[in-house]
Amino acid sequence: MVKLEISSPAFREIYRVDNEGIPVFKSYIAGEWVEGRFFHDVKSPIDQSIIARISIPSSDDIERALEIVYRYGRWDIRNLPGYKRLDILHRAADLLESNIDDIVNSLILNAGKTLGSARGEVKASIDRLRRADLDLRRIQGDYIPGDWSDETTETEAIVRREPVGVVLAITPFNYPLFDTVNKLSYSVIVGNAFMVKPSSLDPIPVVMFIRLLELAGFPKRALALLTLRGGDMEKILADPRIGAISLTGSTETGLKILRSAGIKQFVMELGGGDTAVVLGDADLEWSAQRIARGIYSYSGQRCDAIKLVLAEEPVYEKIKRLLVDELRKVRIGDPRDPSVDMGPLIDVEAVDNMIKAIEDALSKGGKILTGGKRLDNTYIEPTLIEAPKERLEEIEAYKKEIFAPIAIITSVKSVEEAAEISNKRPYGLDAAIFGKDINKIRYLIRHLEVGAIYINDYPRHGIGYYPFGGRKNSGIGREGIGYSIEYTTAYKTIVYNYKGKGIWEYL
Ligand code: NAP
């Protein structure tokens, strides 16, 4: 049975252990760790045992959080000099580093990440906090002279960027820590207060991080952690005290939030699943190795995972064989074992969904080339399905994002056909192109309707040093160092009339 143990005294205040020996975590309401009257169980994907309980804040607590954060917290943070905000983020990075073992352990046990993925996520989070200084290069406004129009002579304007006030971050289960840290960095560096609602599936790394942020000296009234279920967020989403919402989650959740929230600023990093195009002159061994990683890493539960492989006819049979070989090498098992490449899926339902998608593809002429077998409740083999091109549009795994290690492969006659097949999917997050022919690569760069293209590698958003984000059903806006502050700030135009009167009279 999996048991969550926390060694650092830094976390003592945020949980108690109940009479079954299970840690019960609190939420953070603008300066206070609070335990409500209701709780939900948090399970480990490793064996479905309950590893924690988490307090659900009452509606009074939520109202208090909103009121304090809006009335006082947003000014506490905005009035801090920028270098002090940066110092807090840097101290939070140091605290993540000194508590790395507990945080890595929480990611392995709660999110089912392998040791390498869990360490990678913490390292990316530390880097993101330290690189918040690079966001500063984009915090700038404009000066507009008025002397180009009769209407505006004797005046001039400054266009400022101001924080929107309160940013609400809603984070997914697949990068619970990094997505929280990323949204925090681009919200806070420009002077916003921050509220975060983590996934109910794996909130523990987020709760622990919020404690570290508190210890780093974050202004208490400018921070809240709402450990609610997504379905209970409706009222908060629509609250006018929230200036911007930054979601990373599925397209379905994005649509619900847009409907409920009304007019606000948004960043929406939504569902994806990427295409890999293999050209006739690609290095096939390299391509197969990278595409396989794009399919199975973190059990295919990445927005930038490869879900569709399109190979030019002359190399189709060979890349198919090489990919099958690569996927068969993947060692699946308990992610606590350092030799394991792929751990479990987040819950039993995720594997059920993948099985349904496999059955659907088979019923529409698909053929399993490798994988397809469920090994246990939450464990399944990475799966490659060859699908008939003419029936792709009927197949669920082509039309929808299946958040699991499954991809479809088919051959294409030309890059024109590859672009058409890729663009017919409703998503537009990223694509990968493997090959050398500059003309074909350029054609694909111009025609693929996606937010990012990776040449000769599988898509990986990393810490957002290069901006990423979707088109079509994959979202609104960009996450990336220096790019996201556009969505957490608002423009304000200040017009100076030096004469004090009379400038606009003739209008
Ligand atoms: P999800 O089910 O959409 O949940 C995401 C977050 O939204 C969770 O905190 C969830 O809370 C909350 N939520 C659900 N319904 C809500 C509602 N009606 N109002 C407010 N919040 C609500 O997604 P997930 O399964 O955690 O994450 C996987 C998805 O995220 C995939 O589609 C993936 O492609 C996408 N993703 C996109 C990117 C990108 O960069 N584009 C990056 C990573 C992940 P509960 O857990 O309490 O329901």
Side-chain angles (χ1 to χ4, degrees), residues 304-324:
D304 48 5
I306 292 176
K307 304 287 179 201
L308 178 66
V309 183
L310 303 172
E312 283 196 304
E313 281 173 357
V315 292
Y316 180 66
E317 288 304 324
K318 178 137 191 232
I319 188 78
K320 204 169 86 176
R321 261 197 328 275
L322 289 168
L323 248 180
V324 167

Side-chain angles (χ1 to χ4, degrees), residues 100-152:
I100 192 160
D101 292 340
D102 279 330
I103 304 279
V104 164
N105 192 42
S106 76
L107 284 165
I108 296 173
L109 301 193
N110 198 182
K113 301 212 163 198
T114 56
L115 181 66
S117 300
R119 282 196 165 274
E121 183 166 351
V122 181
K123 164 109 182 21
S125 304
I126 292 169
D127 282 358
R128 180 62 184 95
L129 288 162
R130 294 204 170 128
R131 290 287 68 81
D133 48 359
L134 296 181
D135 289 275
L136 294 168
R137 66 189 171 187
R138 294 288 181 110
I139 308 176
Q140 50 190 235
D142 289 314
Y143 160 75
I144 304 179
D147 57 2
W148 49 268
S149 155
D150 288 343
E151 252 180 61
T152 52

Side-chain angles (χ1 to χ4, degrees), residues 35-53:
E35 192 174 309
R37 285 175 44 226
F38 300 101
F39 303 89
H40 72 250
D41 293 341
V42 179
K43 291 184 180 171
S44 173
I46 296 175
D47 66 354
Q48 288 83 62
S49 43
I50 297 172
I51 51 166
R53 298 199 163 90

Side-chain angles (χ1 to χ4, degrees), residues 373-477:
K373 200 162 111 216
R374 183 179 211 148
L375 304 171
D376 193 352
N377 287 325
T378 47
Y379 295 82
I380 187 163
E381 293 172 335
T383 301
L384 185 65
I385 296 188
E386 182 170 50
K389 207 164 30 189
E390 55 296 346
R391 296 194 67 184
L392 274 179
E393 285 175 61
E394 295 169 45
I395 295 176
E396 289 297 310
Y398 171 83
K399 292 190 287 189
K400 281 198 181 152
E401 179 190 43
I402 308 296
F403 216 49
I406 177 174
I408 291 177
I409 185 165
T410 197
S411 64
V412 286
K413 286 192 187 329
S414 61
V415 283
E416 286 80 358
E417 189 179 45
E420 199 184 320
I421 293 176
S422 182
N423 289 343
K424 274 193 183 153
R425 288 193 81 227
Y427 304 101
L429 194 55
D430 328 281
I433 305 168
F434 291 87
K436 301 185 190 77
D437 184 328
I438 192 69
N439 293 315
K440 288 184 177 178
I441 293 174
R442 181 169 144 75
Y443 180 90
L444 289 167
I445 289 175
R446 295 187 71 219
H447 288 80
L448 289 169
E449 293 160 355
V450 292
I453 295 180
Y454 297 72
I455 316 286
N456 289 318
D457 212 344
Y458 68 98
R460 268 175 304 166
H461 295 165
I463 73 162
Y465 193 81
Y466 303 127
F468 59 87
R471 287 165 65 174
K472 307 197 298 193
N473 280 2
S474 292
I476 302 171

Side-chain angles (χ1 to χ4, degrees), residues 40 168-175 179 197-202 228-234 237 247-254 256-257 260 268-273 301-304 346 401 403 427 429 461 468-470 474-475 479:
H40 72 250
L168 170 64
I170 304 178
T171 54
F173 81 81
N174 64 338
Y175 291 100
D179 280 339
K197 187 224 113 42
S199 165
S200 303
L201 294 168
D202 55 6
L228 286 172
R229 286 193 184 277
D232 298 331
M233 289 288 291
E234 190 118 353
L237 297 172
L247 166 75
T248 298
S250 62
T251 301
E252 292 70 27
T253 301
K256 279 189 205 155
I257 291 177
S260 302
M268 292 269 158
E269 295 294 343
L270 307 181
Q301 302 172 119
R302 295 170 38 238
C303 54
D304 48 5
I346 191 70
E401 179 190 43
F403 216 49
Y427 304 101
L429 194 55
H461 295 165
F468 59 87
S474 292
E479 283 196 332

